[in-house]
Amino acid sequence: MEELRKKLKGKDFLTLHDFSVEEVQFMLDEAVRIKGLQKSGIPHPYLRGKTLAMIFQKSSTRTRVSFEVAMVQLGGYALFLSPKDIQMGRGESIADTARVLSRFVDGIMIRTYAQSQVEELAHYATVPVINGLTDLTHPCQILADFLTIKEHKGRLAGLRLAYVGDGNNIAHSLMYGCAKVGMNISIASPEGYKPDQKVVELAKQDALATGARIEIVTDPVQAVTGADVVVTDVWTSMGQEAEYDLRKKIFAPYQLNKELCALAKEDYISLHCLPAHRGEEVTDEIIDGPHSAVWDEAENRLHAQKAVLALLM
């Protein structure tokens, strides 16, 4: 355990693909432990006196609030930085921003568009860099998802997860994560909207270590039938607004509704990273229904990220 803690200290958190099976499990175990401390009212100021710079190129409710609250509860301080607040939004290079911030703070979280921006920031920074979301991956969300699944199902390995919708950053990170924890995953996306093939190949390589099965299909019925966990996300992400009408038409058969979810196991749970476009990718009766673990999932962003922050910083 102490050896894993030493390995993670100072490391960047860019994708779950970058971590070993043991490291991912350790982060989840730490999230369970730290959540237990908070629920018991036991202070855990592991980052007393430390500061996290939070760069937001994309706005967010859950990412901003959960990281900011996490730093407060860990005894540290979070500094919100929008494009209007820093020179990176006015032409300063990512490399120079990384060098300067590293002299001021103990860690950097960035929520942005291109994965390459996060990678460049991490390359030049001398403090840990955490990926708060890119168009390619969203690793913090998946740690929260897995914490939620473990709480509801008691395990991760051997379960079957179905993701229905756009082959986006959530689909990519679910594949990376499932490969690390031994969870089988079936992703149903329309032709032309399937996950990035390079990510699929890397996830399948990772899955060899745990025996997880990764399946990409176009039929949502095939994906959901017999699933323990059913997941979806918005059909139109930030930056894709011009495609809204087209996507709404193409993804209509991929809605999580009563008929589709009835094909999952009787005790299935449903997840959504939020914000949800109710009546589009998910109906009210699913997101508000007895199988929904969406609000536990949202809360667990806080606990999962506290574990990441504490271990890296």
Side-chain angles (χ1 to χ4, degrees):
M1 183 180 295
E2 285 307 311
E3 184 177 338
L4 281 172
R5 198 177 294 276
K6 289 177 182 178
K7 284 178 65 177
L8 288 169
K9 186 177 180 180
K11 193 169 182 177
D12 298 314
F13 189 76
L14 308 187
T15 76
L16 291 176
H17 170 66
D18 302 328
F19 295 88
S20 69
V21 170
E22 294 75 20
E23 288 170 336
V24 172
Q25 184 58 58
F26 185 56
M27 285 188 279
L28 287 168
D29 290 343
E30 278 293 280
V32 171
R33 188 182 70 81
I34 289 175
K35 182 175 182 178
L37 292 176
Q38 179 180 321
K39 295 298 183 181
S40 299
I42 301 172
H44 42 284
Y46 302 131
L47 298 182
R48 180 178 285 132
K50 299 208 171 184
T51 302
L52 176 73
M54 305 190 306
I55 301 174
F56 280 85
Q57 303 285 74
K58 280 188 175 185
S59 60
S60 170
T61 300
R62 279 148 293 276
T63 299
R64 177 175 179 180
V65 176
S66 58
F67 269 107
E68 200 158 327
V69 172
M71 283 301 293
V72 170
Q73 293 181 354
L74 289 169
Y77 179 78
L79 185 65
F80 174 79
L81 302 170
S82 75
K84 296 179 181 179
D85 298 317
I86 57 175
Q87 297 299 324
M88 197 170 92
R90 298 170 59 189
E92 184 173 55
S93 71
I94 292 174
D96 287 354
T97 300
R99 293 184 180 105
V100 171
L101 286 180
S102 295
R103 300 295 183 103
F104 296 145
V105 301
D106 304 284
I108 303 169
M109 187 283 296
I110 180 169
R111 181 179 172 92
T112 188
Y113 293 89
Q115 184 77 19
S116 59
Q117 291 181 311
V118 178
E119 293 170 354
E120 185 176 358
L121 190 70
H123 179 75
Y124 289 100
T126 56
V127 296
V129 171
I130 298 170
N131 176 3
L133 173 143
T134 68
D135 289 343
L136 186 71
T137 61
H138 195 358
C140 290
Q141 179 65 55
I142 273 49
L143 276 187
D145 290 359
F146 287 177
L147 177 57
T148 307
I149 295 168
K150 191 170 185 179
E151 288 174 341
H152 282 262
K153 294 294 182 181
R155 64 189 175 99
L156 296 174
L159 293 178
R160 186 168 182 274
L161 183 147
Y163 172 87
V164 179
D166 190 18
N168 60 12
N169 49 9
I170 293 295
H172 294 156
S173 292
L174 280 170
M175 282 191 291
Y176 280 152
C178 285
K180 298 294 183 180
V181 301
M183 191 187 309
N184 303 315
I185 180 171
S186 181
I187 293 179
S189 302
E191 290 291 350
Y193 297 87
K194 291 184 177 181
D196 183 274
Q197 189 56 37
K198 183 178 179 182
V199 174
V200 175
E201 291 170 2
L202 289 173
K204 285 185 174 180
Q205 290 175 20
D206 287 346
L208 295 175
T210 61
R213 295 192 301 275
I214 296 173
E215 176 185 51
I216 312 297
V217 300
T218 56
D219 184 5
V221 169
Q222 181 180 345
V224 171
T225 300
D228 298 283
V229 184
V230 181
V231 187
T232 192
D233 190 14
V234 294
W235 295 338
T236 306
S237 298
M238 282 182 282
Q240 300 172 335
E241 288 79 7
E243 304 172 33
Y244 175 77
D245 291 335
L246 175 62
R247 283 175 169 266
K248 189 174 180 181
K249 181 178 180 180
I250 290 174
F251 283 96
Y254 293 81
Q255 183 187 71
L256 286 194
N257 51 41
K258 186 176 180 180
E259 292 72 28
L260 182 60
C261 290
L263 301 172
K265 286 186 178 177
E266 190 175 344
D267 62 345
Y268 84 94
I269 63 170
S270 66
L271 301 177
H272 190 308
C273 63
L274 302 177
H277 293 171
R278 290 166 176 260
E280 293 185 16
E281 74 275 3
V282 65
T283 61
D284 287 344
E285 62 185 345
I286 296 302
I287 196 169
D288 294 327
H291 295 278
S292 174
V294 167
W295 316 116
D296 294 335
E297 175 189 14
E299 178 190 338
N300 281 335
R301 284 289 302 276
L302 171 65
H303 308 300
Q305 287 160 191
K306 282 167 76 173
V308 171
L309 290 165
L311 287 169
L312 269 56
M313 291 171 59

